[in-house]
Amino acid sequence: MINEELILEAKKAREHAYAPYSHYRVGAALVTKNGKIYYGCNIENAAYTPSNCAERTAFFKAIYDGEREFEKIAIVGGAEGSDADELCAPCGVCRQVMMEFCNPQKFQIILANGKDKQLQLTLKDLFPYGFGPDNLNK
Ligand code: THU
């Protein structure tokens, strides 16, 4: 799937966000090696810390289904009521979760706003010197 299509899927996922506290809504569309798409949104909580980001929602749904190999993820996020004007980069916890399941040199992270801006990075770009499974399996 081309990036533009995947960004549209992430925008659709954003409509599912549950963000009554931050009013910042995020959607993610994660593509497996076989081309299946998993969708995620942020899911907040009155106790704040149990909140989950859109990226992790997508990953955890995929992992539950037995998926272990991933190609790329598109992320669209921004203030409620806006078109997601700026790019929304994954938080540190989500980068660490990606590190568990993705090859940092190969996995592509596509950040997009609701309009014309987009940026494609590898996990390594966003998470250099990350600690992952390879550190324990050697
Ligand atoms: N959030 C995400 O879902 N993904 C990101 O990449 C950054 C932040 C969520 C967490 C929280 O629900 C809201 O955005 C504001 O931080």
Side-chain angles (χ1 to χ4, degrees), residues 18-19 22 24-27 41-44 51-55 75 88-91 94:
Y18 176 76
S22 73
Y24 188 91
R25 300 170 70 85
V26 187
C41 63
N42 55 331
I43 304 168
E44 297 185 346
S51 300
N52 206 53
C53 292
E55 297 89 324
I75 304 160
C88 168
C91 79
C94 288

Side-chain angles (χ1 to χ4, degrees), residues 31 33 69-73 98-99 101-110 120-125:
V31 186
K33 194 186 167 197
E69 292 187 78
F70 301 98
E71 188 193 324
K72 58 183 175 178
I73 190 170
M98 292 174 191
M99 189 73 197
F101 298 108
C102 305
N103 179 328
Q105 266 108 347
K106 291 193 181 148
F107 187 65
Q108 302 292 317
I109 299 168
I110 301 136
Q120 179 164 339
L121 302 154
T122 64
L123 177 57
K124 193 178 167 71
D125 293 328

